[in-house]
Structure formats: structure tokens, C-alpha cells
Amino acid sequence: MSSDPWGRVDEQGTVYVRTAEGERVVGSWQAGSPEEALAYFERKYQGLEAEIGLLEHRVRKTDLAAKEAQVALDHLKAQVAEAHAVGDLDALSKRLETLSGEIESRQVERRAARAKAQEDARSAKEALVTEAEQLAESTQWREAGDRLRALVETWKGLPRLDRKSDDELWHRFSHARSVFSKHRKAHFAALDNEREHARQTKEKLVAEAEALSGSTEWGDTAARYRDLMAQWKAAGRAQRDAEEELWARFRGAQDVFFQARSAAFSERDAEQGENQKLKEALLLEAEAILPITDLKAAKAALREVNERWEAIGHVPRAARGQLDGRLNAVERAVREAEDAEWKRTNPEAKARAAGMTGLLQQAVDKLQADLDKARAAGNASRVAKLESELAGRQALLDQAQKSLEEFGG
């Protein structure tokens, strides 16, 4: 009989292994010595020990799935429990039990990690949905559209949730995108309508602008072009190609008119410059009438100046006020002389002035007589009143006598 600390071989060749629960038969050996038998069964133990070491490494050092690790662990536990091997099987069992706890801990960690990943994914998707629903009401069409496309790509990169939750969130997300797309399509459809209306309006404005380009009614036509420009701005923009083509035609028609007007004004300005020189020379003649010594001769000379003045025509606007002002000064001096002569020789006015002077003299004389009586009677209050009335009438009388003197009487 042969033995070692973990097993023995009896005289019949039966091989035993020692465990905490006692000995158990692991096999028989008839072909050789008991030492060879123990060595054989010890090699089987070493094989089990190597398999357990490999599983320990895979569990502790790799990302072996918990389910796969559990299957391998259960298989090794069964092998150790029924092992036909000689060695410290209890130690192997303890190692497997320790490994079982590690696998279970990993399962718990991984379940927690999956739960956290799901919660993170849920939070991320809810945030995407919230942002998408906010963007659904945006009118920043390009920026919001780009952002919604980016949100879709972000969604694709997130883990799926449970089917119900994932479907509900996706429905809200998809609905928000649909609302935005509907609003954007409606906006651009309305914009297309507005642009088409603007194009039709501007076609009419261009047609009128082109029809006016040959006009020589400079003031009215220029004013009309200003109206057309105001209508152009109010019409809004057409599609880009149509807008550029219509603007080129509209601007071209204006250029034709305003260039023609500019040429005409240049010719007119040259003519008006000559007119200014003629009127300046004529003003010297008009101003020579002053001072007036012979009213009849002055009036005749002024009539001749006015006739020649009107015949000369327009002068530059900048000079017009000064030239007219100088002529008006001569005309005003002649009118004032004429008014003075009329006033001096008007018999009706002279008679009215004499009559008024007589009436005022009578009133003054009566007030003076009344005043003398009041003074003689010692009536102070009546004296004061009559003195005041007399002073007023005397002032009017003095003025009337001065006017009468102007008539030479």
C-alpha cells in the first residue's frame, strides 16, 4: 500500500482521495505501482487546478461575461465535486466559492452599470426630446434644422431603453421634428408666394419706369420715379435671379432719364448764367432811378426795366433771390413815392382830415370851458376827470393837425 497527504492506494489497487468529509474512491490502478497510480491521479488534480486558475484569470483580468463565467464555474464545481483526482480538493472548492462571490459581485456591478447606463440614456433622450420640442417652434430655419439633424445623430448613438419608454420618447421626438418641418414648409411656401407677388409688382414698376425713361417733363417725371422707388422698396424681394434682372432694368430706365435731365440742366444752367449777367446789368439801370426826383419819369423807367427783365428769362436758382430782392427794392421805393404823392394830393382825404380836426377842436374847446368852470367851483374830482379827458382829446387833435399839414392845408 502507498499514500501521500491527499490520497492512497490500497493492496487491491483502489485509489482514494482525502477530503474534509473523509476518504472517497477516485479510481483503481492495476497496471503499475501505487506511486504511479498516485502520480496519475495527481496529474488530473493539477489539470483541474490549471482550469480553475485560467477561469480566475479570465474573471479577474478580462471582460468575460458573467453568464459565461457562471457556466464555466458551475462546470468546474461539478468536476471538483466528482473529481477522479488526488490533491487538496477542498482548497479547489474554496477557490471556486471565492470565485463565485467575485462573479456575483461583478454581476451586481454590471447590473448597476446597465441600470445607470439605461438611466443616463433615458435622461439623455429626454433632454433631446425637450430640446427638439423647443426647436419645433423656432423660426430660425437653418440653425434649428441643422440642430435637429445633429440631435438625430446623437439619438442614434444612445442605447435603447425598454421598448415602451423608447417608443414613447421617439414618438415625441419624431413629432417635434414633424411640427418644425411643417412650419418651415409653410413659411417657405408663404415666402415663395410673397416673392412671386413681389416679382409681378416689380414687373409693372419696371414697365412704367421704362416707359418714362424718354420723358422731358423733368420735375413731374423725377417725382414719379421717386414714387416708383418707394413702391419698389415696399414690394419686398422677388426670387434672387428675378430680383437682379428686374433691378437692372429698373435702374437702367432711371439712368436714361436722369442722364438726359442732367444734360438738359447743364444746357439750361449755361443759358441761365448768361441771363444772370443780363439781369445784373439791367439792375444797374433800375437802381439809377433812385433817389426819385421825377415820379412820372421814374415810373416809366421802371416799366421799361420790368418788360426787359421778363423777356430775359430764368436765372440760376442760387442767384434768383438776390436779383429779385434788388429789383423789388427799386419797385418798393417807386410805390412809396407814389403813395406819398397820392396822399398829399387826395382832396377827399384832405376834407376828411379837416373835418376831423374841426370836430376835435370843438371837443377840446368845450372840455376847456368845462374845466375852467370846475376849477372856479373848486370841484377837485371833476377837475381831475376833465383834465384827463382834455389831455386825450388834445393828443388826438395834435395828430389830426399834423396829418392835415401833410396835405398842405
Side-chain angles (χ1 to χ4, degrees):
M1 179 175 122
S2 178
S3 67
D4 72 5
W6 305 109
R8 68 182 177 86
V9 181
D10 67 9
E11 295 175 351
Q12 287 76 33
T14 302
V15 182
Y16 296 88
V17 65
R18 296 186 181 97
T19 68
E21 296 177 356
E23 290 186 334
R24 67 177 175 83
V25 175
V26 295
S28 66
W29 185 265
Q30 306 295 329
S33 66
E35 288 77 12
E36 290 175 335
L38 288 174
Y40 172 76
F41 283 100
E42 286 172 354
R43 286 195 296 273
K44 285 194 171 186
Y45 174 85
Q46 291 167 359
L48 277 175
E49 188 176 34
E51 285 190 55
I52 292 173
L54 178 61
L55 182 58
E56 287 173 334
H57 174 79
R58 293 179 67 195
V59 169
R60 294 167 182 166
K61 304 296 182 181
T62 71
D63 59 351
L64 179 66
K67 184 176 181 181
E68 185 180 347
Q70 188 63 49
V71 170
L73 178 70
D74 292 343
H75 174 70
L76 284 174
K77 280 184 175 181
Q79 282 188 300
V80 170
E82 301 173 1
H84 298 287
V86 174
D88 191 354
L89 294 177
D90 291 331
L92 294 182
S93 294
K94 289 180 180 177
R95 287 171 65 183
L96 289 174
E97 286 302 321
T98 298
L99 195 57
S100 177
E102 293 178 10
I103 291 173
E104 185 176 352
S105 296
R106 176 171 289 192
Q107 285 178 319
V108 171
E109 290 173 0
R110 290 189 175 180
R111 281 196 293 270
R114 283 196 298 272
K116 186 176 185 307
Q118 282 284 291
E119 188 59 32
D120 290 346
R122 179 186 301 277
S123 297
K125 287 188 174 182
E126 287 175 348
L128 293 179
V129 169
T130 298
E131 185 176 354
E133 288 173 340
Q134 292 172 347
L135 290 170
E137 303 303 322
S138 174
T139 56
Q140 301 297 315
W141 309 115
R142 176 176 295 179
E143 293 83 349
D146 290 345
R147 182 57 184 159
L148 282 170
R149 284 190 289 273
L151 295 183
V152 171
E153 295 305 313
T154 302
W155 181 285
K156 290 178 180 178
L158 293 172
R160 285 186 60 83
L161 309 177
D162 63 274
R163 183 169 183 176
K164 180 181 178 182
S165 299
D166 215 67
D167 287 350
E168 288 176 354
L169 288 171
W170 174 253
H171 176 74
R172 287 173 57 193
F173 186 71
S174 180
H175 178 69
R177 294 170 63 212
S178 297
V179 169
F180 173 78
S181 179
K182 181 179 178 181
H183 289 174
R184 181 172 59 180
K185 287 179 180 178
H187 167 77
F188 284 107
L191 188 60
D192 286 342
N193 289 336
E194 290 173 5
R195 288 175 174 171
E196 176 58 21
H197 179 70
R199 185 193 66 78
Q200 294 175 4
T201 299
K202 289 184 174 182
E203 286 277 9
K204 295 176 182 177
L205 296 177
V206 167
E208 184 174 353
E210 289 174 339
L212 289 170
S213 64
S215 172
T216 56
E217 297 294 330
W218 310 121
D220 291 344
T221 305
R224 184 55 185 160
Y225 270 122
R226 286 192 294 272
D227 292 342
L228 294 180
M229 178 61 76
Q231 292 178 50
W232 180 281
K233 292 178 179 178
R237 292 184 63 82
Q239 293 290 350
R240 183 173 181 178
D241 292 345
E243 180 76 16
E244 291 177 353
E245 187 268 336
L246 289 169
W247 173 249
R249 289 172 57 194
F250 185 75
R251 190 65 181 173
Q254 289 187 94
D255 288 345
V256 169
F257 168 77
F258 284 108
Q259 287 169 6
R261 187 184 73 161
S262 179
F265 281 7
S266 295
E267 181 179 349
R268 183 199 64 185
D269 290 344
E271 178 183 344
Q272 289 185 355
E274 291 299 319
N275 290 346
Q276 179 180 349
K277 294 177 183 178
L278 293 173
K279 285 193 173 182
E280 287 173 344
L282 190 56
L283 278 171
L284 296 177
E285 294 183 32
E287 289 168 343
I289 296 172
L290 306 179
I292 299 171
T293 56
D294 183 340
L295 179 59
K296 185 175 181 181
K299 290 170 63 175
L302 182 59
R303 279 195 301 274
E304 182 186 357
V305 166
N306 278 328
E307 289 171 0
R308 290 162 62 192
W309 184 277
E310 294 298 328
I312 290 174
H314 294 293
V315 298
R317 178 175 296 181
R320 192 176 304 162
Q322 181 187 15
L323 295 175
D324 288 345
R326 289 171 63 186
L327 182 61
N328 288 340
V330 176
E331 292 175 336
R332 187 164 54 253
V334 172
R335 282 198 305 273
E336 289 174 354
E338 190 174 17
D339 289 344
E341 179 64 16
W342 169 252
K343 185 177 181 181
R344 190 181 66 82
T345 60
N346 186 352
E348 293 181 0
K350 182 177 180 180
R352 285 197 299 272
M356 179 58 70
T357 301
L359 291 174
L360 287 170
Q361 185 63 60
Q362 291 174 10
V364 167
D365 292 343
K366 183 177 183 303
L367 284 171
Q368 185 62 57
D370 292 342
L371 177 58
D372 291 340
K373 291 177 182 178
R375 283 174 178 165
N379 189 339
S381 61
R382 182 164 175 74
V383 167
K385 179 181 179 183
L386 289 171
E387 284 178 344
S388 176
E389 291 182 6
L390 178 60
R393 288 289 193 281
Q394 185 62 52
L396 292 174
L397 176 59
D398 292 344
Q399 185 177 354
Q401 287 175 338
K402 183 177 178 181
S403 298
L404 185 60
E405 289 171 359
E406 291 176 358
F407 288 100

